[in-house]
Amino acid sequence: MTHSKQSSVDLYWNASLNPDEPLSSYFLSWHPVFMSVCPPVRSPVDEEGVHDSFNQLIEEQSQHGGRSDAYELQELQRELDEEGRDIVPYLSSPGHDLRERRTRGREGEWADDEARDPGERWSSATMKILSSMPSRTIGRSRGAIISQYYNRTMQLRRHKQSRPAIRDFSRSARPSIRGYGMEDSTDAEGAEVTKRERLVNNLQNLSVNDRVRMLRAMPLSVAEKSELRRLALQKERRTFSGSQIPCCSRLKYYIIIAVRHSWYSWLSFLHSLQLWQMALKRVSGRFGTGVLSYFLFLKTLLFFNLFLFLVMGAFMVLPQAVHPPVLPSDRRAFSGLELLTGAGYFSDTVMYYGYYCNYTLREQCRDDGGGQNISVSNGTTPDCPTKHLSYNMPLAYFFTIVLAFFITCIILVYSMSKSFGQSFRIDKSHSILAVKVFCSWDFKVIKRTSVKLMSENICTQLKELLAEVNHKHVKNTLCQNLWRLMVHCIAWAICISSTIACVIGIYFFSDFMHQDLQYRARSPLPIKNHLLDEASLLALPVVVSLINLLLPGLFNLAAWMEDYQSPSVCTYVAIGRHLMLKVSVLIVLCYHWLGRVANETQMQCWESFVGQELYRFLLMDFIFTLLDTLLGEFLWRLFSTKVLKRKRKPVFDIARNVLDLIYGQTLAWLGVLFTPLLPAVQLLKLLLLFYIKKSSVMMNCQNPRKPYRVSQMTTIFITLLCFPSFLGASVCVTYTMWSIRPSSSCGPFRGLKTMFQAGKRWVEELEKDNPKLSVLARAHSYLVENPFFLFVGAGIFLIVIYFHSQVVDGQRKIISLLQEQIENEGEDKKFLITRLQSIHEQKRTPTQRLSSQDSSC
Amino acid sequence: MGTTASQIGKDRLAEYQELTFLTKQEILLAHKKFSELLTKDERDLQNIRVPMETILTLQELKSNPFRNRICHVFSTSDIKNGSLTFEDFLDLLSAFSDSATLEIKSHYAFRIFDFDDDGTLDCGDLEKLVNCLTGETDDTRLTSEEMRQLISNILEESDIDKDGTVNLSEFQHVISRSPDFVSSFKIVL
């Protein structure tokens, strides 16, 4: 035992004393023996053994101390000699002068506080070594950047090909060895040239895409990059011409180039399509990223609706519009009120569910048999010879909706996860002040007054943060705490009770309006006032929109009463309250439509009625948003500047406006099933809203004073768009399709028990026509109708999520370990630097003494 | 005028597209803006340098407190006067463009904030940086006590290896914690 310990220690010292030996061999020689000293059995005796060995090590160290110190000194001596040789050119370099001057200047400033920055105490030689440390050169020198990217290309190549040529391995893979300051200028240049050559070599061996990506990501100037590119291409060409390349690979090369070019032009075409570029630039130039995020969100919603509109238009509206069904003759004339109510003239158009037919559209047989309602079961008319151009409308309706929702869901989840990954990194340590200073400047803001305002805001925020850091532990008295708690309770009580009151009001009011409508429809009065009837339809949407307009004002009042200190808490509370209101209102409305209206037997076509309701809601929401813009922004600005003579303009409330957008989008998604053209309406609404909001913001608003965390808020909003909004809408749509009986006299699903049966019946028919496809039918009945598979899928999904969260946990642990390691290494660095300095001083003093003696002689 | 697309050759354009994060339209727009800064007879010259003062008349840079630093960082001039060629200008726009990576953005942000070009952000750099952020007027400037405290706090938070300065990787570490940086480090022409 003792012997082995002894040998290990010997090995250790041998290894450490050989300067040419790489570090790895030192570890190899030291580590296994150490393992044999302390086998992984944990008993107190063994532990003592470990301690023993360490003690011995330390003893040895003190014994050998002289030897190692001598060695160290010798090494340093050599370094210093070299340093002394070229100290003259170094001193003449302008950078050094600058640093010297700065150091001197700062010494005056920080004179009271010397321990803060140990750099001040160090001699110029140490400073020089410090400044050529790899971590510092990478930020300024070109050579270091080239080396860094050389290493990266190397790694990339190693990933791609398992075995690179031996000549490609660099002697010193670290970017840092360069520019230690010891090489004179020609040497440095030479080193850079070879390094660059190697980089070119690597670049040339990369695939075309990798090379482009690499070159693009290098922080060098365009001229240098183009030089690198030229060199790489030149070499490539030389190798190409040198070796006879077969025709097919040349063809491949050309094809790749052509594909790449077309890809680039496609990308730039897409880029040129960018909507509202100038408008967005003007908004961001004045308000910065926060307000811009509202408009970007609006743009995202616009694209979602465009997608829905295109899908619906192509697969449902267009085929049906080309083959219009025979309509009842008593169509009402267009009166103008329809634009608001969506009823009347519009009810028998492609806008609504009721217009769509339940038979297979055929190109040729339309003239003789298409007009009648041929049910799907005997849909094949005998006198129709061709089967090619048939279009099964119910099936198309069903699958288009399902597909559109599915694709929207995928896009939403994808963008949500991406946004989560960007804005919530796995890192608990918070460095508020550093982030504030490094990242708070918004380079997009270009208007002079806005720049000034931003400076002021940053200044106040910095001061507040500093004050917060200083007085972190100032505690409120118990009385104050109680008072605050009471105020919060009161505010929440007001918000919740007002929400509940509104919801109950909507519940009874919708019931009343519905009964009234039924009553009037049944009443035998000879003269009916159609216009009044239609106008009464607007009552419910107006009431709901009014509530949506007024209650947020109450919530804001409550928040003002509460007086939150942290702006983010204030925003979250506001979002929570608005969400509570909107979700509960929508739940009541959905219950009204799917629970009450859908079970009404007298209603001729309840789907169309619900579609019309949603149209009205969407429109009223738009009108009330306009009113809000007019009252809340325009008139308030006039009032506060003209009457109150204040210079302050209203602040654009991003969170509330985004929530309004989400509410409107939920309505649009809910209504797609009943009103296939609702996305078009929503599209128009968003387009108008963009211009109105933009001009209102530019005219009436001023920059918000509170900091707004854009990406986190955007993440939250996308999550809200996905979770309550889209998921709620799709649950409602799925419920309608799966378990509500469609009305029996209109729409593509008349005569069926549920909409879902359209698909089932189609599969059955397919099986009848073609017995080979019975597997499909069986698969359908197992997969779709059996809830077991749904559960299995959900279970697998949950397990995957669980595993991922576990992996993240592990990574968090590793991050904290690595952080500790970096801190230790920083300590080591500091230690080494002070050691270096002291040895340097020891070395300097004799020479100085010597030189002073010389001069005195 | 003849100072539109025709002046950049087709293969030059393709090369610029390959080497920067800009699209074709953006490069053409940049060229248009750049030639507007030149006088008539300068337009025919190749690789003409535009002095920093002229560059700073651009609306996008005019009010930016870091405008001088931006020019100095992207200038390839030998005498370090901040003058830009068209290629330097493209470099600038590329680093500030929409599609530039976080890495390249943080690299250039670091160089912009490194006022003395010594490769690390030390106390002097941080002080100048904070002064740029808060503006030059006296009422927005931090007092020296506040400044001292702020700088020591910043160093405490971001200087992982405790050497008294913030180097590039430490800077990038801080930046990676602020997802808003990518969206705010942008200049749209």
Side-chain angles (χ1 to χ4, degrees):
Chain A
M1 186 81 180
T2 356
H3 178 73
S4 80
K5 259 185 266 169
Q6 189 61 46
S7 72
S8 82
V9 169
D10 271 345
L11 261 173
Y12 169 69
W13 282 110
N14 286 341
S16 75
L17 279 175
N18 189 354
D20 296 324
E21 193 100 25
L23 203 65
S24 59
S25 73
Y26 145 65
F27 270 117
L28 279 179
S29 58
W30 150 244
H31 202 65
V33 192
F34 184 69
M35 286 310 279
S36 75
V37 173
C38 53
V41 188
R42 273 174 216 123
S43 76
V45 186
D46 276 335
E47 245 174 72
E48 228 161 75
V50 177
H51 287 302
D52 263 2
S53 71
F54 271 119
N55 280 339
Q56 207 152 3
L57 238 173
I58 292 163
E59 266 173 44
E60 293 268 342
Q61 195 175 2
S62 56
Q63 270 173 28
H64 289 279
R67 202 166 67 172
S68 75
D69 258 356
Y71 168 72
E72 229 175 282
L73 263 178
Q74 196 186 337
E75 274 293 288
L76 268 163
Q77 177 100 32
R78 208 182 325 141
E79 269 178 30
L80 288 171
D81 282 351
E82 275 173 11
E83 214 176 287
R85 234 182 288 136
D86 64 359
I87 198 117
V88 183
Y90 176 68
L91 276 175
S92 64
S93 79
H96 179 72
D97 277 351
L98 198 78
R99 203 159 30 243
E100 275 286 294
R101 224 182 307 131
R102 210 194 57 242
T103 316
R104 241 177 287 130
R106 223 185 313 139
E107 252 162 24
E109 249 180 81
W110 308 113
D112 52 336
D113 183 33
E114 222 184 55
R116 271 177 39 80
D117 191 358
E120 314 303 336
R121 291 179 274 116
W122 292 334
S123 67
S124 62
T126 317
M127 284 298 288
K128 198 181 94 190
I129 295 174
L130 275 183
S131 75
S132 58
M133 272 191 320
S135 61
R136 300 193 182 192
T137 49
I138 190 68
R140 80 191 131 102
S141 107
R142 223 178 47 201
I145 294 170
I146 288 181
S147 308
Q148 192 192 20
Y149 277 87
Y150 165 71
N151 288 335
R152 266 189 215 177
T153 48
M154 208 63 220
Q155 278 167 7
L156 208 68
R157 279 185 65 192
R158 261 175 235 170
H159 276 297
K160 294 268 149 109
Q161 339 165 319
S162 50
R163 191 184 283 271
I166 282 183
R167 68 183 159 88
D168 291 332
F169 279 108
S170 65
R171 262 153 277 144
S172 54
R174 295 208 49 153
S176 45
I177 303 300
R178 187 220 79 89
Y180 195 61
M182 273 140 215
E183 311 137 353
D184 55 340
S185 60
T186 50
D187 260 10
E189 219 157 78
E192 207 180 300
V193 166
T194 52
K195 208 150 273 170
R196 193 208 256 190
E197 225 157 62
R198 275 195 242 138
L199 177 63
V200 166
N201 209 15
N202 272 352
L203 279 178
Q204 176 216 332
N205 286 324
L206 288 177
S207 73
V208 181
N209 275 333
D210 281 340
R211 189 196 307 151
V212 168
R213 210 174 307 134
M214 215 43 155
L215 273 175
R216 206 178 269 175
M218 275 183 204
L220 294 171
S221 73
V222 170
E224 278 169 83
K225 282 198 272 191
S226 91
E227 178 70 14
L228 282 176
R229 176 174 174 268
R230 195 181 56 78
L231 286 173
L233 285 180
Q234 212 176 29
K235 276 202 176 175
E236 194 165 291
R237 228 167 270 143
R238 215 183 302 143
T239 44
F240 265 135
S241 57
S243 61
Q244 286 283 321
I245 37 165
C247 175
C248 60
S249 72
R250 185 174 299 185
L251 194 69
K252 197 177 109 193
Y253 188 71
Y254 285 130
I255 288 175
I256 287 173
I257 288 181
V259 165
R260 197 148 45 97
H261 268 278
S262 54
W263 175 244
Y264 278 143
S265 46
W266 170 243
L267 278 186
S268 59
F269 170 71
L270 277 188
H271 193 82
S272 67
L273 278 186
Q274 268 201 348
L275 210 52
W276 300 322
Q277 185 133 25
M278 275 321 285
L280 289 178
K281 188 191 164 187
R282 281 184 55 208
V283 169
S284 69
R286 181 148 155 206
F287 294 98
T289 317
V291 177
L292 183 70
S293 71
Y294 167 79
F295 290 97
L296 289 179
F297 192 78
L298 202 155
K299 214 168 110 176
T300 319
L301 287 188
L302 196 82
F303 283 122
F304 273 118
N305 284 299
L306 189 68
F307 162 73
L308 267 185
F309 170 64
L310 287 182
V311 170
M312 297 287 152
F315 295 110
M316 285 158 60
V317 179
L318 206 66
Q320 189 64 64
V322 174
H323 302 276
V326 176
L327 292 168
S329 49
D330 58 332
R331 288 194 73 182
R332 272 165 273 177
F334 186 76
S335 65
L337 193 66
E338 280 92 342
L339 283 177
L340 279 181
T341 61
Y345 177 79
F346 281 140
S347 20
D348 296 322
T349 56
V350 278
M351 258 189 84
Y352 297 112
Y353 170 90
Y355 182 80
Y356 291 83
C357 58
N358 67 341
Y359 48 82
T360 310
L361 305 170
R362 280 171 214 291
E363 199 50 45
Q364 268 124 42
C365 318
R366 220 199 65 75
D367 292 334
D368 42 25
Q372 271 66 48
N373 294 348
I374 306 157
S375 72
V376 181
S377 49
N378 57 358
T380 43
T381 32
D383 51 355
C384 181
T386 50
K387 271 187 143 190
H388 298 295
L389 287 165
S390 61
Y391 197 82
N392 190 340
M393 200 59 217
L395 213 61
Y397 204 101
F398 181 76
F399 279 115
T400 310
I401 298 273
V402 169
L403 205 74
F405 268 79
F406 189 65
I407 293 176
T408 311
C409 178
I410 286 177
I411 296 174
L412 263 178
V413 168
Y414 175 73
S415 52
M416 191 173 86
S417 63
K418 223 174 96 181
S419 157
F420 256 103
Q422 275 167 0
S423 50
F424 296 99
R425 298 265 156 102
I426 326 166
D427 196 0
K428 272 187 189 159
S429 66
H430 45 282
S431 41
I432 326 156
L433 277 169
V435 166
K436 187 97 238 161
V437 168
F438 291 149
C439 310
S440 61
W441 190 261
D442 200 333
F443 286 78
K444 279 199 292 252
V445 176
I446 52 178
K447 202 164 175 266
R448 188 169 288 276
T449 48
S450 305
V451 166
K452 218 175 141 220
L453 199 64
M454 190 154 73
S455 291
E456 280 168 26
N457 287 346
I458 288 176
C459 181
T460 43
Q461 283 160 23
L462 281 179
K463 280 182 179 166
E464 277 167 14
L465 280 177
L466 272 177
E468 215 172 281
V469 169
N470 282 343
H471 310 283
K472 219 169 208 172
H473 306 292
V474 175
K475 280 203 174 158
N476 294 332
T477 58
L478 188 68
C479 209
Q480 271 174 321
N481 279 340
L482 269 180
W483 171 247
R484 288 199 78 82
L485 196 70
M486 217 172 74
V487 169
H488 286 317
C489 284
I490 291 173
W492 274 103
I494 290 174
C495 294
I496 291 176
S497 56
S498 59
T499 305
I500 290 174
C502 287
V503 166
I504 291 173
I506 291 172
Y507 180 83
F508 286 110
F509 186 67
S510 60
D511 195 33
F512 168 74
M513 288 311 292
H514 194 65
Q515 299 298 338
D516 186 51
L517 191 75
Q518 293 296 313
Y519 171 74
R520 259 191 264 180
R522 261 177 279 148
S523 69
L525 281 175
I527 309 147
K528 279 189 196 171
N529 193 344
H530 276 300
L531 279 181
L532 198 70
D533 272 7
E534 280 196 28
S536 75
L537 289 173
L538 285 175
L540 184 62
V542 168
V543 167
V544 170
S545 298
L546 205 64
I547 286 172
N548 272 335
L549 180 70
L550 292 182
L551 268 199
L554 186 72
F555 293 167
N556 281 350
L557 207 69
W560 173 77
M561 193 174 78
E562 281 172 297
D563 188 25
Y564 282 104
Q565 273 167 352
S566 142
S568 60
V569 172
C570 184
T571 323
Y572 288 133
V573 167
I575 289 177
R577 285 173 184 164
H578 286 197
L579 205 67
M580 179 178 75
L581 172 70
K582 290 198 166 141
V583 167
S584 40
V585 164
L586 279 176
I587 286 174
V588 170
L589 287 176
C590 279
Y591 170 74
H592 170 66
W593 290 322
L594 302 182
R596 283 201 203 121
V597 178
N599 292 331
E600 200 75 58
T601 41
Q602 278 105 4
M603 186 80 64
Q604 206 179 19
C605 188
W606 66 266
E607 288 96 343
S608 289
F609 178 76
V610 172
Q612 287 167 11
E613 287 263 285
L614 280 160
Y615 173 85
R616 288 190 282 270
F617 270 87
L618 204 67
L619 210 70
M620 278 303 136
D621 182 51
F622 176 57
I623 290 171
F624 274 80
T625 312
L626 291 191
L627 271 182
D628 183 37
T629 313
L630 189 74
L631 291 176
E633 286 164 13
F634 181 66
L635 288 183
W636 180 247
R637 200 252 317 188
L638 283 185
F639 179 71
S640 88
T641 49
K642 295 273 154 58
V643 181
L644 297 179
K645 304 279 181 212
R646 278 192 301 188
K647 267 191 83 181
R648 283 186 53 191
K649 291 175 175 179
V651 171
F652 186 70
D653 190 347
I654 306 167
R656 194 182 144 199
N657 278 295
V658 172
L659 281 179
D660 280 345
L661 284 183
I662 292 176
Y663 171 74
Q665 189 56 44
T666 317
L667 289 179
W669 275 326
L670 271 176
V672 163
L673 178 64
F674 311 112
T675 319
L677 274 182
L678 204 59
V681 179
Q682 171 81 347
L683 207 65
L684 274 179
K685 175 190 146 182
L686 289 176
L687 273 174
L688 285 176
L689 204 62
F690 180 86
Y691 287 107
I692 291 164
K693 278 284 173 191
K694 194 205 98 190
S695 41
S696 161
V697 157
M698 294 302 264
M699 203 163 66
N700 303 323
C701 292
Q702 73 172 20
N703 249 346
R705 292 207 158 256
K706 296 178 212 152
Y708 183 80
R709 291 148 123 192
V710 179
S711 19
Q712 276 189 20
M713 291 317 271
T714 313
T715 310
I716 287 170
F717 289 136
I718 287 191
T719 315
L720 290 182
L721 188 68
C722 186
F723 167 55
S725 164
F726 179 74
L727 212 67
S730 46
V731 162
C732 284
V733 167
T734 321
Y735 174 73
T736 315
M737 282 181 160
W738 250 255
S739 47
I740 297 186
R741 194 186 186 91
S743 44
S744 52
S745 59
C746 70
F749 303 107
R750 64 195 93 165
L752 297 176
K753 249 191 255 160
T754 58
M755 296 184 188
F756 174 63
Q757 275 198 326
K760 201 172 159 190
R761 203 167 276 187
W762 176 67
V763 172
E764 275 168 12
E765 234 172 84
L766 213 67
E767 196 185 358
K768 227 191 296 171
D769 285 357
N770 200 344
K772 281 178 194 163
L773 287 174
S774 62
V775 185
L776 195 75
R778 224 174 296 146
H780 178 264
S781 66
Y782 275 122
L783 288 179
V784 184
E785 287 161 38
N786 203 337
F788 175 69
F789 285 97
L790 206 69
F791 283 122
V792 168
I796 290 174
F797 195 61
L798 283 180
I799 287 172
V800 168
I801 290 177
Y802 178 73
F803 278 145
H804 272 277
S805 74
Q806 285 303 304
V807 168
V808 166
D809 242 23
Q811 279 170 346
R812 213 170 265 153
K813 272 175 200 147
I814 288 178
I815 285 174
S816 66
L817 277 179
L818 286 177
Q819 206 135 24
E820 223 167 89
Q821 192 183 340
I822 293 173
E823 265 162 36
N824 282 339
E825 273 168 19
E827 290 292 322
D828 285 359
K829 197 162 99 185
K830 236 169 33 184
F831 170 75
L832 285 177
I833 292 170
T834 37
R835 198 61 183 269
L836 182 81
Q837 172 73 13
S838 66
I839 291 168
H840 187 219
E841 233 125 66
Q842 277 171 21
K843 164 99 193 349
R844 266 291 146 82
T845 8
T847 42
Q848 269 169 11
R849 216 179 295 140
L850 217 67
S851 58
S852 60
Q853 276 169 6
D854 278 351
S855 61
S856 66
C857 281
Chain B
M1 279 285 166
T3 51
T4 43
S6 55
Q7 279 217 347
I8 316 180
K10 212 173 173 194
D11 37 347
R12 284 241 103 163
L13 196 63
E15 191 183 339
Y16 289 149
Q17 254 173 289
E18 206 178 305
L19 293 178
T20 62
F21 290 99
L22 302 172
T23 62
K24 196 170 152 194
Q25 275 75 23
E26 285 169 327
I27 293 172
L28 292 179
L29 181 65
H31 191 258
K32 190 164 152 258
K33 287 250 176 183
F34 191 78
S35 16
E36 278 166 11
L37 297 175
L38 298 169
T39 58
K40 230 175 203 169
D41 35 325
E42 275 175 335
R43 277 178 201 166
D44 303 325
L45 297 170
Q46 280 284 309
N47 281 336
I48 184 83
R49 283 196 173 277
V50 175
M52 186 164 80
E53 290 72 35
T54 324
I55 291 283
L56 294 185
T57 55
L58 278 177
Q59 187 206 0
E60 285 77 15
L61 289 172
K62 208 163 36 183
S63 336
N64 197 320
F66 299 100
R67 53 187 179 270
N68 292 331
R69 280 303 302 162
I70 292 176
C71 280
H72 276 292
V73 164
F74 288 98
S75 165
T76 52
S77 141
D78 294 325
I79 48 171
K80 308 223 180 282
N81 59 357
S83 60
L84 298 185
T85 62
F86 176 59
E87 291 190 344
D88 299 342
F89 189 58
L90 279 188
D91 246 345
L92 191 159
L93 292 178
S94 166
F96 280 102
S97 72
D98 250 337
S99 40
T101 56
L102 172 67
E103 199 187 345
I104 211 152
K105 275 177 190 285
S106 54
H107 182 97
Y108 279 113
F110 181 79
R111 293 208 1 215
I112 288 170
F113 296 158
D114 182 15
F115 284 84
D116 51 12
D117 285 322
D118 69 342
T120 60
L121 301 184
D122 48 26
C123 300
D125 289 328
L126 290 176
E127 193 185 341
K128 278 186 196 157
L129 168 59
V130 174
N131 278 338
C132 271
L133 285 178
T134 55
E136 297 304 318
T137 51
D138 280 334
D139 52 328
T140 57
R141 215 181 255 275
L142 297 183
T143 62
S144 61
E145 173 60 23
E146 278 171 335
M147 182 69 84
R148 198 187 59 76
Q149 206 177 11
L150 178 63
I151 288 173
S152 71
N153 272 319
I154 291 172
L155 284 178
E156 196 179 303
E157 284 170 358
S158 53
D159 184 15
I160 305 170
D161 62 2
K162 306 285 174 220
D163 64 348
T165 60
V166 181
N167 61 32
L168 179 63
S169 33
E170 288 161 353
F171 182 76
Q172 282 174 335
H173 194 91
V174 174
I175 294 285
S176 72
R177 260 178 262 160
S178 161
D180 291 343
F181 175 75
V182 180
S183 55
S184 62
F185 196 76
K186 262 181 206 165
I187 292 179
V188 188
L189 207 58

